[in-house]
Amino acid sequence: MPELAFALDGVEIERYAVTPTLRFRLRITADQPVENIALQCQLRIEPMRRAYGGDEHERLADLFGEKARWGDTLKSFLWTIVPVNVPRFDDVTIVDAMVPCSFDFDVAATKYFHGLEGGEVPVSLLFSGSVFYRDPQDRLQISQLSWSQGLSHRLPAALWQTLMDQYYPNAAWLRLDRETFERLYALKRRMGVGSFDAALSQLLSAPQVLQ
């Protein structure tokens, strides 16, 4: 099986995607020609590998609990898994891992990115998949990559925030159950306001809500 090595040449915003997407540029080197790799790229966030300050402890309490518990709750968690098709190459190739980024606040990664005030996000990339290559007799062979192949990266938190500002300027998304939505919709009509944002603003301004 070819010996493979992975490196990251950078991360940038994909400008023309339908949904918010980050482009991770992967550099792969091999010690012999590779016919194809059906690659799976697992991205994990490593929250214990950075410090937190300002209001971040409060902003991340929904994810990790009270600050006193962070010694137990601050653990690696899955961001996403994306497939990457790597075409034939001899020595080195660069391929793009297109990583979709959700603005759904039921998703742990969204809560984490949104809760940061700046700095960097420690990310681990782990690789698995099938490697196709030819043996000395020119016979096609296949071998499996294990999740032990990987690399680390520190992603600027501002990059994710810029991405969301580009797709959802001055807005955020909340998922509501149908029953909750219908109740809110009926309340909005009774209030006589023009938007759900206005209805929620009036509700949040009510004294009993703030107690």
Side-chain angles (χ1 to χ4, degrees), residues 10-201:
V11 183
E12 59 189 32
I13 292 173
E14 174 55 38
R15 298 291 178 183
Y16 304 107
V18 176
T19 59
T21 302
L22 291 176
R23 179 192 297 269
F24 283 66
R25 298 190 62 79
L26 298 175
R27 178 184 294 270
I28 307 173
T29 58
D31 62 351
Q32 69 181 75
V34 172
E35 294 296 325
N36 180 268
I37 306 176
L39 192 66
Q40 293 289 321
C41 179
Q42 179 183 150
L43 292 93
R44 301 188 65 83
I45 294 175
E46 310 282 351
M48 58 287 190
R49 288 170 41 203
R50 62 157 281 168
Y52 300 88
D55 294 329
E56 290 176 334
H57 293 102
E58 180 180 349
R59 292 166 64 90
L60 293 170
D62 187 37
L63 191 57
F64 301 122
E66 297 299 321
K67 181 181 177 182
R69 299 180 52 219
W70 282 27
D72 297 321
T73 60
L74 222 61
K75 299 183 184 301
S76 170
F77 64 91
L78 178 67
W79 177 2
T80 189
I81 299 176
V82 295
V84 181
N85 180 53
V86 182
R88 189 189 186 283
F89 69 97
D90 289 334
D91 300 308
V92 60
T93 188
I94 296 177
V95 293
D96 293 331
M98 308 301 287
V99 178
C101 298
S102 173
F103 209 26
D104 181 351
F105 280 86
D106 287 335
V107 176
T110 301
K111 294 179 182 179
Y112 184 76
F113 279 111
H114 182 75
L116 299 180
E117 296 180 335
E120 297 174 326
V121 178
V123 178
S124 293
L125 291 82
L126 303 175
F127 304 103
S128 71
S130 302
V131 182
F132 298 85
Y133 62 98
R134 295 191 178 275
D135 66 14
Q137 287 74 44
D138 201 36
R139 296 173 299 195
L140 186 63
Q141 305 291 317
I142 179 173
S143 293
Q144 298 297 315
L145 274 177
S146 70
W147 288 118
S148 60
Q149 292 272 11
L151 57 89
S152 297
H153 179 67
R154 302 191 74 86
L155 180 72
L159 188 66
W160 184 89
Q161 292 157 359
T162 299
L163 175 65
M164 292 305 161
D165 287 342
Q166 176 178 311
Y167 279 81
Y168 309 115
N170 196 34
W173 292 98
L174 293 176
R175 186 192 64 81
L176 300 176
D177 291 339
R178 291 286 180 86
E179 182 181 351
T180 304
F181 169 77
E182 292 298 340
R183 291 173 60 194
L184 180 61
Y185 197 11
L187 183 62
K188 171 182 172 293
R189 294 194 299 269
R190 290 199 300 271
M191 286 179 169
V193 295
S195 68
F196 288 102
D197 185 86
L200 287 170
S201 293

